[in-house]
Amino acid sequence: SLQPVGIHDLAIATTHYVLDHATLARHQGVEVNKYHYGIGQEGMSVPAADEDIVTLAATAAAPILQRHGTTGLRTVLLATETGVDQSKAAGLYLHPLLGLPASTRVVEIKQACYSGTAALQFAAGLIAREPEERVLVIATDIARYDFDTAAEATQGAAAAAILVAADPAIAEIEPVSGVYSADIMDFWRPNYRATAVVDGKLSITAYLDAVEQAFADYRRRGGHDLGQFAAFCYHQPFTKMAYKAHRHLLESQGRPATTSAVETAVGRTTDYNRVVGNSYTASLYLALAALLDQPEDFTGRPIALLSYGSGCVAEFLSARPVSGYRDQLRTDANRDAISNRKPIDYDHYRALRNAQDPTDGGHHVVPDETSGPFRLSALTEHQRIYEKTL
Ligand code: CAA
């Protein structure tokens, strides 16, 4: 039998600020219950001027390296759709911030919200070949849509860092997975835009269809029956989407999609995303962290993971928590990262979002705002300068 490979450590990070949906609804003249109940969102993380996907990634990964060191670490895969450079991999900025070893391959991976899962699977493949190696996977994103659109309420930001290893201390990634892809224009972001272009209704039906197709592939390859999973973690562009997805999956399999069946499957996975908002590649792993941080013991029970990235690619896979996993969790740190955020008012949020990176190559000092351990301190000669504040 194969040596198990999977999640040896998992940590999340989010931004300095939070915009709550009551504030957004008031500004937009929208009934707040549309957000609280209709899409299942109460807050969205907003980055400070000196935060970006690199500082979020460093903040998520630092405690993992503190706990495990860099032994065996030869690969860093950073998944994002909020790239800060068209050429250089964002993970390279982590070298001085985190003390990464020079004997490391570092690359950036993109396919909308799906690429964190691609990174996880590529990592598992590397480790299957060389079980002594470890791979650091980081999913980090900032979701931005145009102001005063329906999609504005589905913004957010976070990073999830995962150390992938053989004989993992948290959860095995089971070998069977189901995949699906198609060329569809439901959501995309051309190089000249800072905000995504989205066909909201199409994106929802494309997601639902992809769930059904990825699960069908998973079953053809001998994966578990639906009834065998202890819970289902879905990509959560907004938490109501997990409910829609699970209802669709049950119905497509001819199962009763009762309110209680759906709630039991997904209800425990939404605590973090409900207040963080869409973190694109990281969202699924915030759902998993939220589930594992529940008091319930999931040892040995398969948990379904459904990853969806517009455009589109989906994958249905499963994680099986291993004995002793609860001792490895970062429940308090995860909750603190979320509860330590500072509420931001609408005008401040708008001003932060309107500020654009200077393009003149001059020396620009970035205002010191974040209380996080890493910050973007300057933009100079077209370079991003980061610093460690601890
Ligand atoms: N009280 C309670 N519920 C209310 C309400 C109120 N006062 N007013 C409205 N609602 C409900 C609606 O009935 C609806 O519920 P159902 O979906 O269950 O029917 C829900 O609130 C949303 O209302 P609308 O359908 O009218 O919402 P909208 O069209 O204005 O916007 C959206 C919703 C399309 C998701 C929009 O936010 C959007 O475009 N978001 C970005 C795209 C996105 O997140 N797509 C998800 C799938 S793609 C993906 O997953 C990849 C990714 O990360 C982007």
Side-chain angles (χ1 to χ4, degrees):
S1 74
L2 291 172
Q3 185 173 20
V5 175
I7 301 174
H8 198 47
D9 201 352
L10 166 65
I12 66 170
T14 188
T15 60
H16 182 71
Y17 292 119
V18 57
L19 178 68
D20 78 56
H21 278 75
T23 303
L24 181 67
R26 214 161 33 243
H27 167 82
Q28 292 181 334
V30 165
E31 165 69 47
V32 70
N33 286 339
K34 174 177 177 182
Y35 296 153
H36 288 175
Y37 302 106
I39 62 170
Q41 286 307 125
E42 287 170 22
M44 55 170 84
S45 286
V46 174
D50 49 351
E51 291 182 308
D52 67 7
I53 56 147
V54 172
T55 66
L56 290 175
T59 306
I64 291 184
L65 296 176
Q66 266 156 28
R67 182 187 282 175
H68 297 280
T70 56
T71 310
L73 183 65
R74 291 180 57 80
T75 305
V76 177
L77 303 175
L78 186 145
T80 190
E81 55 181 303
T82 320
V84 294
D85 194 287
Q86 299 283 6
S87 176
K88 177 169 173 145
L92 291 166
Y93 294 108
L94 301 177
H95 270 271
L97 298 179
L98 298 178
L100 292 179
S103 316
T104 313
R105 61 171 78 81
V106 179
V107 287
E108 188 166 314
I109 305 187
K110 176 178 71 186
Q111 188 352 78
C113 308
Y114 165 71
S115 64
T117 304
L120 189 60
Q121 293 291 30
F122 299 164
L126 286 170
I127 291 160
R129 190 178 68 174
E130 183 40 85
E132 298 298 311
E133 286 191 19
R134 289 176 171 185
V135 179
L136 178 61
V137 168
I138 310 174
T140 177
D141 268 305
I142 299 167
R144 296 187 186 102
Y145 298 94
D146 287 340
F147 293 124
D148 302 319
T149 62
E152 187 181 14
T154 62
Q155 299 176 122
I162 300 174
L163 188 64
V164 186
D167 295 321
I170 293 186
E172 176 190 346
I173 296 296
E174 297 188 287
V176 178
S177 91
V179 290
Y180 171 75
S181 64
D183 178 8
I184 181 163
M185 298 305 280
D186 60 328
F187 165 108
W188 65 103
R189 184 165 69 83
N191 285 344
Y192 50 82
R193 285 182 62 104
T195 53
V197 187
V198 63
D199 181 337
K201 300 292 175 208
L202 178 66
S203 73
I204 292 172
T205 55
Y207 180 134
L208 296 178
D209 193 40
V211 168
E212 186 178 334
Q213 303 283 350
F215 184 70
D217 187 56
Y218 174 80
R219 289 291 287 157
R220 284 193 296 271
R221 297 180 63 83
H224 301 300
D225 180 78
L226 272 189
Q228 291 174 267
F229 293 106
F232 292 75
C233 296
Y234 288 89
H235 167 56
Q236 290 167 16
F238 48 95
T239 63
K240 190 74 173 290
M241 192 67 217
Y243 288 80
K244 286 182 190 290
H246 197 62
R247 199 177 309 120
H248 182 83
L249 185 59
L250 289 172
E251 283 166 356
S252 73
Q253 299 301 304
R255 307 245 178 166
T258 60
T259 306
S260 77
V262 176
E263 181 62 34
T264 304
V266 307
R268 293 160 295 176
T269 70
T270 59
D271 286 2
Y272 295 164
N273 287 318
R274 172 180 299 276
V275 291
V276 164
N278 195 356
S279 57
Y280 291 161
T281 53
S283 163
L284 172 60
Y285 300 97
L286 264 68
L288 178 62
L291 179 72
L292 296 177
D293 285 343
Q294 297 286 320
E296 195 172 343
D297 187 347
F298 291 102
T299 305
R301 301 162 68 197
I303 293 168
L305 304 178
L306 185 285
S307 185
Y308 176 76
S310 291
C312 70
V313 178
E315 181 160 352
F316 191 103
L317 66 162
S318 61
R320 190 193 284 267
V322 301
S323 168
Y325 80 95
R326 300 195 62 80
D327 299 336
Q328 305 295 317
L329 299 179
R330 299 174 178 283
T331 310
D332 291 344
N334 293 346
R335 291 182 180 156
D336 286 350
I338 291 170
S339 63
N340 288 343
R341 293 171 303 167
K342 307 272 176 290
I344 193 173
D345 64 32
Y346 186 83
D347 291 342
H348 188 177
Y349 147 75
R350 193 138 176 155
L352 279 172
R353 270 287 308 280
N354 277 332
Q356 283 170 1
D357 283 354
T359 56
D360 62 6
H363 181 69
H364 302 273
V365 172
V366 179
D368 191 345
E369 280 183 299
T370 182
S371 52
F374 303 98
R375 57 183 299 274
L376 174 69
S377 60
L379 292 152
T380 187
E381 293 172 25
H382 301 292
Q383 299 178 27
R384 302 176 81 79
I385 312 296
Y386 293 97
E387 69 177 8
K388 200 174 163 177
T389 59
L390 291 183

